[in-house]
Amino acid sequence: MYEPTQLRTFLAVAQTLSFTRAAHRLGVRQSTVSQHVRRLEDAVGRALFARDTHGVELTEDGEAMLGFARTILAAHERAAAFFTGTRLRGRLRFGVSEDFVLTRLPEVLESFRREHPEVDLELTVGLSGTLHEKLAAGRLDLVLAKRRGGDTHGRLVWHSTLTWIGAPRLRLDPDRPVPLIVFPPPGITRARALEALQEHGRAWRVVCTSASLSGLIAAARAGLGVMAHTRGLIPPGLVPVPARAGLPELGDVDFVLLHGRPAAAGGAAQEAADALAAAILAGGDRLHAAAAGP
């Protein structure tokens, strides 16, 4: 009843909230994306997206279709693997940005390991800038991280915006330097924050530096200062800084999948990287959600 190709297109639009960005991710024309969504909506008999001049949003039925689409595509992939007799093997070195530590990415990885038990998955969590460097050096096979400003490479998983966040009771003195909580270089979010403040002519001082997202969150919850963070991934206990604080806008941010050089990855690792990339793209909407508590 529901074509896998149409479901993959639906997930791409749902995760990027843009027909244009979905087309870029899938490598097809925007008209093809619109056609797939229209045919799926005809099959469902419900509108899955609300579209206007401001953008694209999921309807309630669209939200419900997310889970069904993931389940149908997962079953489709399992059936294909069973009847073709293919079993992925080898070592896969996967790097993921600190941003996803508190999301439901572990559920996606757990499902992948269950489906491909003979793949030796090595996980590296770090700063996006560091992961880019390791990928270029051939030390990683696949990376899920933020894309540097102006870059166009990588397969788009999620488009969002950056915002300033801090403790709910935090108040900034406009006559004093902005207290910053930042990742160390080469953190992409750090670079964006400093550039925005410099362009805005706003003085700043670093009050906390940590390579761990947990460390930054702890400092922010303690009220030490503000940090730049992805709007869709704001940790519990922290809130966006009000506009009246006068902080400059930080712009958009893209999270992308990047593959290592085929020669470095090798055949088995390349196949495993392709499979994990497909699983992440299929479950990309889970990356917006916080991980379940204990």
Side-chain angles (χ1 to χ4, degrees):
M1 180 177 179
Y2 304 129
E3 291 289 337
T5 300
Q6 296 171 10
L7 292 174
R8 293 189 184 95
T9 300
F10 162 76
L11 285 176
V13 177
Q15 291 160 12
T16 62
L17 295 181
S18 166
F19 280 63
T20 301
R21 289 191 288 267
H24 285 313
R25 178 206 278 190
L26 297 170
V28 300
R29 295 183 177 180
Q30 185 173 333
S31 59
T32 302
V33 172
S34 299
Q35 183 183 67
H36 288 175
V37 170
R38 182 170 61 253
R39 288 179 176 175
L40 182 60
E41 289 180 326
D42 289 342
V44 174
R46 311 276 182 88
L48 302 176
F49 294 104
R51 286 153 277 188
D52 57 29
T53 56
H54 300 292
V56 178
E57 292 184 358
L58 283 164
T59 63
E60 289 187 8
D61 291 314
E63 294 281 0
M65 177 55 79
L66 282 174
F68 293 129
R70 286 198 305 267
T71 301
I72 293 170
L73 289 174
H76 184 269
E77 295 298 330
R78 286 197 299 272
F82 178 85
F83 287 107
T84 57
T86 58
R87 291 182 68 85
L88 294 179
R89 295 177 174 84
R91 182 177 64 147
L92 172 58
R93 300 167 300 172
F94 176 48
V96 61
S97 168
E98 276 272 348
D99 299 79
F100 295 107
V101 168
L102 301 179
T103 72
R104 297 171 63 187
L105 177 63
E107 296 178 16
V108 177
L109 297 181
E110 180 185 12
S111 177
F112 175 81
R113 286 183 54 80
R114 188 167 56 248
E115 295 297 325
H116 307 289
E118 296 182 28
V119 173
D120 183 10
L121 181 62
E122 296 182 4
L123 180 65
T124 297
V125 180
L127 305 180
S128 291
T130 301
L131 297 176
H132 282 279
E133 293 173 355
K134 289 185 177 182
L135 186 73
R139 296 162 59 190
L140 292 173
D141 305 313
L142 181 69
V143 160
L144 172 62
K146 289 192 287 290
R147 182 161 55 191
R148 292 185 176 97
D151 284 356
T152 58
H153 64 291
R155 196 170 184 186
L156 180 65
V157 177
W158 182 29
H159 176 82
S160 187
T161 58
L162 291 174
T163 188
W164 298 100
I165 62 173
R169 295 184 180 180
L170 178 68
R171 297 294 182 267
L172 297 179
D173 187 337
D175 297 324
R176 301 186 64 183
V178 178
L180 288 182
I181 299 170
V182 293
F183 284 116
I188 291 176
T189 303
R190 171 197 176 102
R192 187 78 62 86
L194 298 185
E195 289 169 3
L197 290 169
Q198 289 170 354
E199 292 173 358
H200 196 66
R202 189 76 181 266
W204 51 269
R205 63 186 180 93
V206 174
V207 297
C208 175
T209 301
S210 174
S212 164
L213 178 59
S214 297
L216 300 184
I217 292 173
R221 286 175 176 165
L224 297 186
V226 298
M227 56 186 285
H229 200 64
T230 306
R231 184 180 298 276
L233 297 175
I234 298 177
L238 299 176
V239 297
V241 176
R244 63 176 178 272
L247 296 180
E249 294 186 1
L250 293 165
D252 298 334
V253 61
D254 290 336
F255 289 94
V256 297
L257 281 167
L258 302 109
H259 288 263
R261 298 189 303 271
Q270 188 64 47
E271 291 180 3
D274 290 341
L276 179 54
I280 290 172
L281 290 169
D285 53 284
R286 296 185 183 184
L287 305 184
H288 301 234

